Amino acid sequence: MSKTLERALKKNSWLTKEIDGLTLNQSPLLAKQANLVHAFTTRLGGNSPAPVDTFNLGRHLDTDDSRADAARNRQKLCQALGLDFQRLAVPGQVHSSIVVIADEKNTYKEVDGVATKELNRPLLLHFADCVPVIIFDTKKSVLSIVHAGWRGTAGSIAKNGVRLMAEHFGSRPADIIAAVGPAIGSCCYPTGDEVATKLAATVSNIADLVTYKEGVPYPDLKAVNAMQLLESGVGEVDVTDICTACQPELFYSHRQSGGKTGRQGAIGSIIG
Ligand SMILES: [Zn+2]
């Protein structure tokens, strides 16, 4: 096995923090960055009703009550982390592989990744099995967060995030680190052959990134994203060992719930 593949497959145990009643996960690698605040939320700590109980951040349920509750939870999350809710950038995710710069216009309706170099410009994206990736340039302090489900991963959205940071802000991939957060693990993710084939096309060697059981592919989406980042030249990648479908009491899982569930968040902000 190549060294890069070994690094992509490695899973780490992450930090759990309780802040203002919220249970949050953090990447030990990103937590060391003094000018970055970040967190991956769980479903604990809010008042959202079933089936999105209790800390739903998504506004995907089409009722005023649910949308208001999600807005309150976003505000609560910002408050807990000391971030400015008024400046929060939240893309309207559509399973694309598009990453854009977060700006004052706040017009990122159909994108699945945002990047910024602005201080105190929090970025928030939503997940329920899809892979959250927080990407950070440690030298130039540039931040990007992407939403990588299988479609986004097949479209190399993590690579697109790194490329945008390089092209727009002059980031050098070697200075970039990334955290690959709570998402569905290979253990719980049987797919069709066409999914595995599309994922394979994004990396130089898919061997070991997909496990086969009785001929059915079980892709390790977190590892495919880590591999894409490492093959982009990213210096270090920290992949969590958390599988969202294995722990439905802690995380929203689209697969495990049959689609009726809430959304956890990946949030980050560059601070002064
Ligand atoms: Zn699992």
Side-chain angles (χ1 to χ4, degrees), residues 9-270:
L9 283 165
K10 186 169 184 290
K11 307 288 189 294
N12 303 314
S13 44
W14 277 18
L15 310 164
T16 304
K17 268 197 174 176
E18 303 279 335
I19 307 177
D20 291 356
L22 301 178
T23 302
L24 307 172
N25 290 112
Q26 283 188 322
S27 149
L29 176 66
L30 294 189
K32 281 189 281 194
Q33 299 299 317
N35 54 345
L36 175 71
V37 170
H38 86 283
F40 296 82
T41 68
T42 66
R43 65 190 297 170
L44 304 183
N47 295 306
S48 312
V52 300
D53 51 308
T54 65
F55 193 62
N56 170 50
L57 293 166
R59 303 183 69 183
H60 55 297
L61 297 186
D62 204 14
T63 71
D64 291 343
D65 279 356
S66 183
R67 293 168 74 82
D69 174 61
R72 275 194 303 275
N73 287 340
R74 291 175 183 183
Q75 196 158 9
K76 181 174 175 176
L77 176 62
C78 286
Q79 219 158 36
L81 296 170
L83 303 177
D84 186 351
F85 173 68
Q86 299 305 329
R87 287 175 53 79
L88 187 65
V90 186
Q93 303 162 202
V94 290
H95 292 280
S96 71
S97 49
I98 301 168
V99 187
V100 299
I101 308 295
D103 58 25
E104 292 295 343
K105 285 172 281 184
N106 215 340
T107 52
Y108 0 92
K109 290 282 177 264
E110 299 196 342
V111 305
D112 289 80
V114 275
T116 189
K117 196 178 160 39
E118 280 180 68
L119 289 183
N120 308 313
R121 161 77 63 198
L123 312 178
L124 172 67
L125 280 81
H126 303 120
F127 305 86
D129 286 343
C130 292
V131 184
V133 186
I134 300 184
I135 309 169
F136 185 62
D137 177 342
T138 59
K139 293 276 160 60
K140 290 202 157 91
S141 284
V142 180
L143 171 68
S144 177
I145 306 184
V146 304
H147 163 246
W150 81 260
R151 283 189 188 81
T153 306
S156 298
I157 190 166
K159 281 187 191 175
N160 295 346
V162 172
R163 190 183 314 125
L164 181 67
M165 290 164 73
E167 286 174 1
H168 196 88
F169 298 111
S171 292
R172 290 180 353 143
D175 298 332
I176 293 176
I177 60 175
V180 179
I184 196 160
S186 173
C187 42
C188 298
Y189 193 49
T191 69
D193 285 322
E194 74 287 357
V195 171
T197 304
K198 282 180 179 157
L199 295 174
T202 68
V203 291
S204 62
N205 183 358
I206 197 74
D208 298 308
L209 298 175
V210 180
T211 308
Y212 284 84
K213 290 177 206 160
E214 294 169 359
V216 177
Y218 286 71
D220 184 339
L221 271 188
K222 283 182 287 184
V224 176
N225 278 282
M227 192 69 178
Q228 288 180 9
L229 290 160
L230 291 169
E231 289 192 334
S232 298
V234 165
E236 212 174 335
V237 175
D238 180 12
V239 184
T240 181
D241 59 6
I242 297 166
C243 165
T244 46
C246 279
Q247 296 183 76
E249 68 291 350
L250 259 184
F251 296 97
Y252 298 114
S253 169
H254 191 266
R255 273 258 169 147
Q256 190 277 336
S257 67
K260 289 199 177 75
T261 195
R263 301 287 182 270
Q264 51 245 350
I267 189 167
S269 180
I270 304 161

Side-chain angles (χ1 to χ4, degrees), residues 1-10 227:
M1 191 184 290
S2 81
K3 191 85 192 146
T4 311
L5 193 53
E6 240 171 80
R7 292 172 70 198
L9 283 165
K10 186 169 184 290
M227 192 69 178

